[in-house]
Every structure is written in structure tokens, then in C-alpha cells.
Amino acid sequence: MALIVHKYGGTSVGSPERIKNVAKRVAKARAEGHDIVVVVSAMSGETNRLVALAHEMQEHPDPRELDVVLATGEQVTIGLLAMALKDIGVDAKSYTGWQVALKTDTAHTKARIESIDDQRMRADLDAGKVVIVAGFQGISSEGNISTLGRGGSDTSAVALAAALKADECQIYTDVDGVYTTDPRVVPEARRMDTVTFEEMIELASLGSKVLQIRSVEFAGKYKVRLRVLSSLQDGGNGTLITFEEDENMERAAVTGIAFDKNQARINVRGVPDKPGVAYQILGAVADANIEVDMIIQNVGSEGTTDFSFTVPRGDYRQTIEILSKLQDSIGAAAIDGDDTVCKVSAVGLGMRSHVGVAAKIFRTLAEEGINIQMISTSEIKVSVLIDEKYMELATRVLHKAFNLG
């Protein structure tokens, strides 16, 4: 008998019928003798609906009150799933994030998990119950409802699995595993039986929507066995996220191609080329809790430099406003940007033992007339920032160039 955490996303619980199907899947696992903890998202589309309602009340909703509103989405789902399980004879008990309690910091709408009290869950499991927990939410150190940001239900599931020392955390979604790229863009994309945590962290951070990056980081830190499976079909082993490198990994330089539309480029032009300028620019952005990704600096010949970086598209306007207020104090000649860009990335442990991967990427894109605006690399990935209109074309040609189909 094993302790297994199931996580079901919004699509998997998107209707009463699908919630009943989830209940049957959970009941089957329970009948096999496993202890089961289930983490669920809000029904698909519900979080967007709640955000829209909040914006009808305030142009910029108060973060604390927004979290109060958003947390109701998962609360509905846990109650419905508990009812569905009881209806088929499986004893179940639902918990909101604050009831568990999953404790977070005070960064509303982007909270980070600090600790989990597993006492109530263990008592219910010992009593033979299925425990159902609302994903995406917790309680802050100030006693307020908090949410973890988009994709936070994955993070909740892995964090609970770590706290409970679960044998496996199974992420059920609308796809049957991790693919070499999005099969909706490249029909020839191939499902991988295994992928390393290192690669999955890169893929998740670079735009792969199968797993949220914070969940993969948690899994890696606490050595949680993680598996991606389909909630819409029976059978199959999905994709196992493993700590062990495939013995054949060296045969392939690239494992997968990821893309991300959630990008905007910020340009700070003509600032003095002196120590501290980068901190003045990025420090102000960090103070606003805005994440910065790709960064380049071009030093001019007259003691000035152009500084460019990327932020999430939703933070584009706020970043421009922040830096415009600092323009005079940092001595910038101009501040502008572009929110019609995207990032396309190639990922693979094989890059460590293969040369020419970046050159092959650049040549492949050049042959299609795709201009590269920014480049970022690590030991196992190469990312390029390009015009958004070329995103699908770039993904297809790179997938083909590295024979990933």
C-alpha cells in the first residue's frame, strides 16, 4: 500500500460529469489499497470569471480581497468532489488551504509556501478517508487567505506530497504526458516516457504548460517522485519525472522545444555606463515583485549603454511606468518596449556533450527569415526572443531540425 497524491487541473474537473469521473478514478486507487490525497483546481474558466468580477469592482483589485475572491473557485470543487466520492461509497473529507493549514508568506496573489501542518490529513488517512485539498491557496503569516499564483495547484500538490512523504505525486491533466513540444503546434510531437528533473525545470520555466515550474522545483528539492498522466483516458504510464539520466541521453542533443508568449521586452536606452546602473533599473522592478528573465546590455562608444530585459507580458505597462518615473534620476535617454514578442527554447541534457547546438538553432531560424532579438543560454538550454508572429513556425522548424518527431 502506498500514499499517493493525485492532482486534477481545471479541465479535469471542468463539469459535474468530469468530477464524477475523477471520483471513480480516486475510488479505484483507494480500492487497490492506497491512501489517497487529492488536490484540485477550480473548474476550468472559473478563475478567469472571478478575476473579471473583481475588475468590475476595482480597476486594480485590492490584492488581499482578490485572494478572498479567487480562493472560492477551488472551494467549490473540493466540496463537489467529496460529495461525488461519498455518493459512490468512498468516505472523503475536503479542506481549504487554510484548514490544512498550508502556510505562506504575505505576497498576495503570488504567495510562496513556508510550511504545511499535516496532522489533520494524517488523522483522516489513518481513519480510511480520502483527503481532498483545495490547490492554489493557503493562509498567510498574518492570518489572511492567500493564493499562490497561476498554476499554484501543481505547487500545492507537490508540497503536500513532500510534507506527507508520499510515494508518488501524480499530476492528472488533459494530456497523457510530457511531449517534445506542444502537439497542437507540432502534430509530430512525441510523448516521452521519462524526462529528468533538470530538463523539466527548464521546460516548465520556458513555457511548457504541462507542469508549473515551482512544482518541479519543490519535487526536485524534496525528491518527490512525480508523474504526469491523463485524466481523460484510462491506461498508460504517462511521463515520469526522474532524477536519473537516461543512459541513451547522449544520443540526442535536444530533448524538447518550449515556447512562451508571455513575454515583453523593455528597453532602457542611453543610460550612463557606470557601476550601479543595472541595480537602479532592475532593483526598482524587483521591488514591484516583477520577475525579470532575459537581460542584455550593449555598451556604446560615448560612455552610455542600452539595457534591455524581458518581463511577463502582464507586467509590461507597470514596468514601463516604474522606469519612466526613474528616467531622469538614472539619466536614460528613452524608455520603450515591445509586448508582441515570444521566447522559443531548445532544452536537453545532451547539450553538455554536443557542440554546435546554438549554431544549428541560429542557422535554422535564419533560413526561415526569423530575426533573433535576444539570446539566453545555460548548460542545457538555448532561448531566443523573436517576434510573436513567428512562434509556431520557429517551433516547427526547430523540432524538425533536431529530429524530435
Side-chain angles (χ1 to χ4, degrees):
M1 183 164 79
L3 171 55
I4 301 174
V5 174
H6 285 200
K7 183 268 173 177
Y8 295 92
T11 303
S12 303
V13 293
S15 67
E17 292 74 21
R18 288 188 174 180
I19 291 174
K20 290 178 180 179
N21 286 335
V22 166
K24 292 175 183 176
R25 189 181 297 274
V26 172
K28 180 181 177 182
R30 186 73 189 90
E32 291 170 353
H34 302 305
D35 287 333
I36 304 295
V37 174
V38 185
V39 177
V40 291
S41 300
M43 297 171 76
S44 96
E46 181 64 8
T47 301
N48 288 338
R49 187 184 74 86
L50 294 171
V51 169
L53 284 174
H55 280 281
E56 287 188 27
M57 301 298 109
Q58 274 187 299
E59 183 179 357
H60 301 291
D62 177 84
R64 181 191 181 279
E65 305 309 329
L66 180 59
D67 273 355
V68 171
V69 173
L70 295 182
T72 63
E74 285 72 21
Q75 187 170 331
V76 170
T77 316
I78 60 172
L80 292 176
L81 180 56
M83 293 176 194
L85 282 164
K86 289 174 184 291
D87 192 56
I88 57 176
V90 178
D91 196 7
K93 191 170 183 179
S94 66
Y95 288 100
T96 61
W98 64 266
Q99 289 175 313
V100 167
L102 189 151
K103 297 179 181 178
T104 74
D105 61 19
T106 58
H108 284 290
T109 74
K110 297 179 181 179
R112 300 191 75 84
I113 298 170
E114 293 184 340
S115 66
I116 295 175
D117 184 349
D118 63 357
Q119 185 175 353
R120 297 177 74 178
M121 291 186 291
R122 288 193 183 279
D124 285 334
L125 291 170
D126 289 343
K129 300 178 188 289
V130 169
V131 176
I132 307 167
V133 181
F136 174 69
Q137 62 180 250
I139 185 168
S140 76
S141 56
E142 294 179 348
N144 296 312
I145 291 173
S146 55
T147 66
L148 309 181
R150 291 288 186 169
S153 292
D154 282 358
T155 306
S156 298
V158 177
L160 287 170
L164 292 164
K165 295 181 172 56
D167 295 277
E168 188 164 290
C169 180
Q170 299 177 350
I171 307 293
Y172 287 88
T173 181
D174 54 353
V175 295
D176 61 346
V178 180
Y179 280 71
T180 50
T181 195
D182 190 333
R184 292 170 296 185
V185 174
V186 183
E188 298 80 18
R190 173 178 50 83
R191 182 182 61 80
M192 296 179 278
D193 292 329
T194 62
V195 61
T196 68
F197 273 95
E198 222 175 333
E199 290 171 318
M200 196 65 239
I201 285 175
E202 290 286 8
L203 289 168
S205 69
L206 296 169
S208 174
K209 305 300 182 186
V210 178
L211 288 174
Q212 204 260 356
I213 183 168
R214 285 162 63 190
S215 68
V216 186
E217 289 172 345
F218 254 102
K221 182 177 181 180
Y222 294 102
K223 298 294 188 286
V224 175
R225 184 181 173 91
L226 196 59
R227 189 182 297 273
V228 179
L229 296 151
S230 171
S231 65
L232 305 180
Q233 62 187 53
D234 294 323
N237 295 319
T239 298
L240 177 66
I241 318 301
T242 177
F243 295 96
E244 301 174 1
E245 295 184 19
D246 190 320
E247 62 182 6
N248 297 321
M249 187 63 70
E250 197 172 32
R251 295 182 184 178
V254 172
T255 299
I257 306 295
F259 55 83
D260 186 5
K261 285 184 178 180
N262 186 30
Q263 296 286 314
R265 175 174 174 163
I266 307 292
N267 303 310
V268 184
R269 304 186 187 277
V271 293
D273 183 22
K274 62 180 183 182
V277 169
Y279 169 71
Q280 285 181 283
I281 296 169
L282 296 183
V285 175
D287 288 344
N289 204 23
I290 296 172
E291 296 180 6
V292 172
D293 185 11
M294 306 171 80
I295 304 172
I296 61 170
Q297 184 175 2
N298 297 313
V299 179
S301 58
E302 299 180 359
T304 63
T305 183
D306 291 340
F307 198 85
S308 298
F309 58 94
T310 60
V311 297
R313 190 171 293 184
D315 294 322
Y316 174 67
R317 293 297 174 190
Q318 184 183 0
T319 306
I320 292 289
E321 289 173 6
I322 290 169
L323 295 178
S324 294
K325 293 176 182 177
L326 294 176
Q327 184 171 347
D328 291 340
S329 63
I330 62 178
I335 293 170
D336 56 45
D338 184 0
D339 62 352
T340 61
V341 294
C342 70
K343 180 170 61 175
V344 178
S345 309
V347 175
L349 287 183
M351 290 186 189
R352 291 172 174 164
S353 56
H354 288 74
V355 298
V357 173
K360 188 172 185 177
I361 292 171
F362 303 154
R363 183 182 71 245
T364 301
L365 296 179
E367 289 172 351
E368 298 293 335
I370 300 173
N371 184 50
I372 297 172
Q373 300 180 23
M374 298 176 74
I375 301 167
S376 174
T377 66
S378 76
E379 191 178 22
I380 65 168
K381 65 99 174 173
V382 177
S383 296
V384 295
L385 193 74
I386 61 175
D387 194 303
E388 181 185 18
K389 66 183 179 182
Y390 295 120
M391 186 190 74
E392 293 191 5
L393 173 61
T395 301
R396 288 195 297 270
V397 296
L398 290 176
H399 193 271
K400 182 176 181 181
F402 288 100
N403 299 311
L404 297 179

